[in-house]
Amino acid sequence: AQTVTQSQPEMSVQEAETVTLSCTYDTSESDYYLFWYKQPPSRQMILVIRQEAYKQQNATENRFSVNFQKAAKSFSLKISDSQLGDAAMYFCAYRSASDSWGKLQFGAGTQVVVTP
Amino acid sequence: GAVVSQHPSRVICKSGTSVKIECRSLDFQATTMFWYRQFPKQSLMLMATSNEGSKATYEQGVEKDKFLINHASLTLSTLTVTSAHPEDSSFYICSAALVGGGNQPQHFGDGTRLSIL
């Protein structure tokens, strides 16, 4: 079974600065998908960014970008120009391409605190 | 697009009551829906996978007689917590996956906060 590890329970960043959240995963598969979800205090789960394992190019969505290192099984999220609205719990998730149901395996989460 | 509506958002009821939570995909068809439980400051724990027209598949340790799941159509799945007790108090979230899967992400409802007195 795949496992997803987020080793940072909490990260603090000042407004306008950059923060990087780490995520590693364990899998023997070569084809899979990776996601970062954001859960603000409202507890709504919001998709931040996704990456297909077969793509070498790192995904980018505005101020959010990933550093996908397939060989190292690492999928970090960089938040640039941090804003107060970025304060939330961030979950890394893995999805096997061979799973027809598309089940997600979540990491434990990293709480991002943004200070003015 | 890809909106999932979950209702109710908050339930407070007495011990022994059965509670039904609905999860609807509003603008897309979802052959598969997922039900999660989340404790404070913890990650999402998958309870079951719900497929339209068939029995749900429960994760290990989840009581299927306690948590009844019905997926009657491509846009609606329901979770019924039967004879709820205080230990069932939690945050429950559903999600839906687009037909075809692939790299499509799961889309989540806003969750239901269940409090059993």
Side-chain angles (χ1 to χ4, degrees):
Chain A
Q2 296 83 14
T3 57
V4 178
T5 302
Q6 293 180 250
S7 59
Q8 306 153 316
E10 184 174 305
M11 293 289 283
S12 186
V13 61
Q14 277 194 314
E15 258 188 304
E17 296 298 310
T18 296
V19 64
T20 299
L21 311 184
S22 68
C23 173
T24 59
Y25 54 93
D26 181 26
T27 184
S28 59
E29 300 178 327
S30 60
D31 197 11
Y32 48 86
Y33 308 102
L34 297 165
F35 304 87
W36 278 99
Y37 281 90
K38 167 185 176 181
Q39 188 179 43
S42 65
R43 302 192 80 170
Q44 182 186 16
M45 291 289 284
I46 303 166
L47 176 68
V48 175
I49 202 165
R50 61 182 159 182
Q51 175 83 41
E52 293 88 349
Y54 62 83
K55 290 187 178 179
Q56 291 187 332
Q57 186 172 8
N58 290 323
T60 299
E61 287 287 342
N62 300 315
R63 298 181 295 105
F64 298 88
S65 61
V66 299
N67 183 2
F68 173 48
Q69 301 290 326
K70 191 172 184 179
K73 298 178 184 176
S74 172
F75 183 59
S76 61
L77 174 70
K78 184 170 79 172
I79 307 174
S80 304
D81 186 25
S82 297
Q83 301 175 359
L84 293 177
D86 295 332
M89 182 73 89
Y90 287 78
F91 293 101
C92 177
Y94 173 102
R95 172 179 167 176
S96 168
S98 62
D99 184 337
S100 58
W101 291 341
K103 289 168 62 173
L104 290 174
Q105 182 67 45
F106 285 95
T110 296
Q111 182 71 49
V112 171
V113 176
V114 182
T115 56
Chain B
V3 177
V4 175
S5 172
Q6 186 172 342
H7 178 81
S9 58
R10 182 87 159 101
V11 180
I12 303 172
C13 57
K14 293 181 179 179
S15 185
T17 305
S18 291
V19 179
K20 180 186 282 188
I21 303 170
E22 291 189 348
C23 181
R24 293 180 185 272
S25 56
L26 297 185
D27 51 1
F28 67 100
Q29 292 185 327
T31 50
T32 305
M33 289 185 175
F34 303 88
W35 288 95
Y36 297 87
R37 184 172 181 176
Q38 186 180 31
F39 292 103
K41 298 189 183 301
Q42 293 190 24
S43 188
L44 280 69
M45 181 186 74
L46 180 65
M47 299 175 64
T49 302
S50 165
N51 290 289
E52 185 264 338
S54 62
K55 290 183 179 180
T57 300
Y58 291 82
E59 296 298 304
Q60 192 172 10
V62 177
E63 299 177 59
K64 56 184 68 177
D65 293 332
K66 160 67 80 174
F67 300 100
L68 299 179
I69 291 171
N70 182 272
H71 194 157
S73 75
L74 283 172
T75 58
L76 174 64
S77 176
T78 60
L79 167 68
T80 301
V81 184
T82 61
S83 187
H85 292 285
E87 58 267 27
D88 298 322
S89 298
S90 191
F91 190 68
Y92 295 87
I93 314 177
C94 72
S95 71
L98 283 159
V99 173
N103 69 343
Q104 297 300 316
Q106 289 183 19
H107 300 279
F108 289 82
D110 288 345
T112 297
R113 187 180 304 277
L114 176 62
S115 299
I116 308 299
L117 304 177

